[in-house]
Amino acid sequence: MSFRDLVVRRRMVRAFTDDPVDPVLVDDLLDLARRAPSAGNSQGTAFVVLDSPAAVDRYWEMTLPADRRASFGWPGLLDAPVLILAVCSPEVYVDRYAEADKATTGLGEGAAAWPVPYWFVDAGMALEHVLLGAVEAGLGACLFGLFEHEVDVLRALDVPTGWRAVGTVALGHPAPDRPGLSAGRPRRPLPEVVHRGRW
């Protein structure tokens, strides 16, 4: 499959079978993720893998308690056998940019010095590697946010203080599902998103 085919075929899968995913394959996907671009080679993205039924159930109990599941629009999402929580550390970037070869940027003075928080940018690129790698491996994946559950989930998973949750990827073998509510929106045409020379 060409890279273009991977990109065009990638979509958020919201229903999974309960077939297990080989842990070696999960590690291969995360190896791709760690090779994503990283500002200053800071490498401030990490992953918490939940791949046992107990760990996956615990995650869903924190973020979607049983009493709310009856009205949840994507029940097949809860069948994913693997959840990958992507986290990033602003402090890793600040510390890296305080080093001698980056100190003149001023970005080592603190997270507020960064006009764009590259810890989120880099984590997003790492996540895209996982999503594309899943397509190549014949798996389905869906990235979703933690929103109001971020603090509780990070605490429950013993993630060190200061790390931020970027999102969770549900990973598994796809089951028949219906497209998400936004899937019908057409992609903006290329001339509408590309501006050459000026806007």
Side-chain angles (χ1 to χ4, degrees):
M1 184 181 313
S2 72
F3 178 73
R4 180 174 184 77
D5 290 338
L6 286 174
V7 171
V8 171
R9 287 184 54 194
R10 191 223 48 83
R11 69 179 190 87
M12 297 301 182
V13 171
R14 293 174 174 84
F16 299 89
T17 69
D18 59 2
D19 296 334
V21 176
D22 184 345
V24 172
L25 181 51
V26 175
D27 286 349
D28 286 346
L29 293 175
L30 295 175
D31 185 53
L32 292 175
R34 74 180 182 89
R35 296 171 187 276
S38 175
N41 205 11
S42 299
Q43 302 178 59
T45 302
F47 302 93
V48 179
V49 178
L50 307 175
D51 56 2
S52 71
V56 170
D57 288 346
R58 182 175 177 219
Y59 178 93
W60 289 120
E61 280 300 320
M62 285 186 286
T63 61
L64 189 64
D67 62 330
R68 290 186 35 221
R69 292 184 192 171
S71 63
F72 183 58
W74 309 102
L77 184 65
L78 282 67
D79 294 328
V82 178
L83 298 175
I84 301 171
L85 179 70
V87 297
C88 63
S89 170
E91 185 178 328
V92 168
Y93 286 77
V94 170
D95 290 349
R96 169 66 182 107
Y97 276 77
E99 293 177 20
D101 65 321
K102 298 289 185 186
T104 59
T105 66
L107 299 175
E109 295 174 15
W114 289 70
V116 174
Y118 266 79
W119 39 93
F120 291 125
V121 174
D122 291 356
M125 288 190 281
L127 284 164
E128 179 72 355
H129 281 42
V130 172
L131 298 176
L132 292 174
V135 173
E136 183 181 48
L139 297 174
C142 183
L143 170 66
F144 54 91
L146 280 87
F147 305 107
E148 71 274 15
H149 305 292
E150 178 184 7
V151 172
D152 291 338
V153 169
L154 293 179
R155 187 180 301 122
L157 297 176
D158 297 323
V159 176
T161 302
W163 286 74
R164 296 291 314 275
V166 180
T168 301
V169 174
L171 183 70
H173 299 277
D177 70 347
R178 60 186 167 83
L181 300 175
S182 302
R185 289 186 59 148
R187 295 281 176 181
R188 292 167 58 200
L190 193 62
E192 191 177 307
V193 298
V194 176
H195 307 278
R196 288 197 163 82
R198 63 185 298 174
W199 190 274

